[in-house]
């Protein structure tokens, strides 16, 4: 059974109600989780290594633009991995784990990587990123106008032929067309999931769910779309057990379940 890793910083007072719900959810469903000490923030997905298709672990350089003025929040993923008994292959390429959505040998990454790595040409950069985790293809989508530029808040694979995307309002219809044009060009069907226009936090971001083994943990925000999202996920992921957890506390900090988790 897969073990899911979270930062021990979730035990802080501001996240403690969520932490207690999370521990109970895992215990009640006989699932495995561990809490990692010595992280500088809770966003495990971003600073930890990415598993290659040949089983190796690639540690990208975690110095994102949005933390340039806040170096105290930067965690060295290689050291955390070493403490877990994992050897990593390091690279100078800057790439957050939250900007790497992968299924089999295809990854989806936003155009933020080009801003993060101006010393590389776009072709050189995508080729190198593709070669490190041994991928067949990288699909580049335009980033949204947010702080982080992560793909895990925009798109998730259902299977080899379909993805989930957020439901865009008329206000963002131009961006939706840019995104869906790329997906259609790559022969990927897309299913829209309820979302909000909220760009200040992650409340309403159901697409940032946690998926492992035959389990999907779907976030709840105590808003009207919670029920609609659950019904859709049950239809889409018929072979999965769908669990739910209130993620209000961490969503207010800017992320949800995929953001705070990491798995071997």
């Amino acid at each position: 059974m897969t073990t899911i890793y979270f930062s021990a910083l979730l035990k802080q007072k501001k996240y403690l109600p969520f932490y207690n719900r999370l521990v109970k959810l895992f215990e009640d469903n006989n699932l495995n989780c561990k809490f990692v000490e010595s992280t500088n923030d809770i966003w495990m997905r971003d600073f930890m290594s990415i598993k290659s298709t040949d089983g190796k672990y690639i540690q990208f350089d975690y110095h994102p633009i949005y933390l340039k003025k806040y170096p105290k929040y930067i965690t060295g993923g290689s050291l955390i991995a070493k403490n877990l008994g994992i050897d990593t292959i390091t690279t100078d390429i800057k790439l957050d784990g939250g900007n790497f959505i992968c299924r089999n040998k295809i990854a989806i990454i936003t155009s933020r990587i080009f801003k993060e790595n101006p010393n590389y040409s776009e072709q050189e950069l995508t080729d190198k990123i593709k070669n490190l985790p041994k991928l067949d293809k990288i699909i580049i989508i335009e980033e949204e106008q947010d702080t982080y530029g992560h793909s895990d808040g925009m798109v998730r694979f259902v299977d080899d032929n379909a993805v989930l995307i957020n439901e865009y309002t008329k206000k963002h219809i131009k961006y939706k067309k840019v995104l869906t044009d790329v997906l259609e060009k790559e022969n990927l069907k897309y299913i829209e999931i309820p979302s909000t226009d909220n760009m200040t936090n992650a409340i309403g971001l159901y697409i940032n769910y946690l998926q492992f083994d035959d389990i999907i943990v779907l976030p709840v925000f105590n808003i009207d779309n919670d029920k609609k999202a659950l019904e859709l996920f049950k239809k889409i992921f018929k072979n999965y057990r769908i669990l739910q957890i209130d993620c209000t506390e961490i969503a207010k900090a800017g992320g949800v379940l995929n953001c705070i988790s990491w798995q071997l």
Side-chain angles (χ1 to χ4, degrees), residues 61-90:
D61 182 8
Y62 183 61
H63 284 86
I65 292 171
Y66 56 83
L67 288 183
K68 189 174 182 179
K69 296 181 179 179
Y70 310 97
K72 67 178 182 178
Y73 294 118
I74 294 175
T75 299
S78 288
L79 181 58
I80 301 294
K82 184 178 180 181
N83 291 338
L84 294 173
I86 300 166
D87 292 325
T88 58
I89 298 170
T90 59

Side-chain angles (χ1 to χ4, degrees), residues 78-204:
S78 288
L79 181 58
I80 301 294
K82 184 178 180 181
N83 291 338
L84 294 173
I86 300 166
D87 292 325
T88 58
I89 298 170
T90 59
T91 173
D92 67 333
I93 293 175
K94 294 179 174 63
L95 175 65
D96 303 354
N99 194 20
F100 187 87
I101 292 298
C102 188
R103 180 179 172 86
N104 295 327
K105 291 192 174 186
I106 299 176
I108 301 178
I109 300 173
T110 76
S111 56
R112 174 64 63 93
I113 57 162
F114 301 132
K115 294 179 184 176
E116 298 276 10
N117 298 276
N119 51 317
Y120 286 97
S121 70
E122 292 188 5
Q123 188 62 57
E124 183 184 15
L125 182 61
T126 51
D127 285 346
K128 193 166 183 179
I129 294 174
K130 185 172 72 172
N131 290 336
L132 281 167
K134 311 300 181 188
L135 301 173
D136 289 339
K137 181 188 288 187
I138 289 178
I139 299 171
I140 303 294
I141 58 176
E142 286 297 318
E143 64 172 295
E144 291 180 303
Q145 297 301 311
D146 67 3
T147 301
Y148 309 106
H150 289 173
S151 57
D152 70 346
M154 298 172 56
V155 61
R156 298 290 295 275
F157 280 102
V158 175
D159 54 34
D160 291 343
N161 304 306
V163 296
L164 306 181
I165 66 170
N166 293 309
E167 188 176 65
Y168 290 94
T169 62
K170 291 182 179 180
K171 186 168 67 173
H172 300 290
I173 200 70
K174 289 184 179 179
Y175 177 78
K176 177 184 177 181
K177 187 174 189 316
V178 170
L179 173 62
T180 56
D181 281 352
V182 173
L183 298 176
E184 289 170 358
K185 182 180 178 181
E186 298 293 342
N187 296 313
L188 286 171
K189 298 177 182 179
Y190 58 89
I191 304 167
E192 296 181 54
I193 298 299
S195 187
T196 68
D197 281 334
N198 181 8
M199 298 298 286
T200 59
N201 58 51
I203 292 199

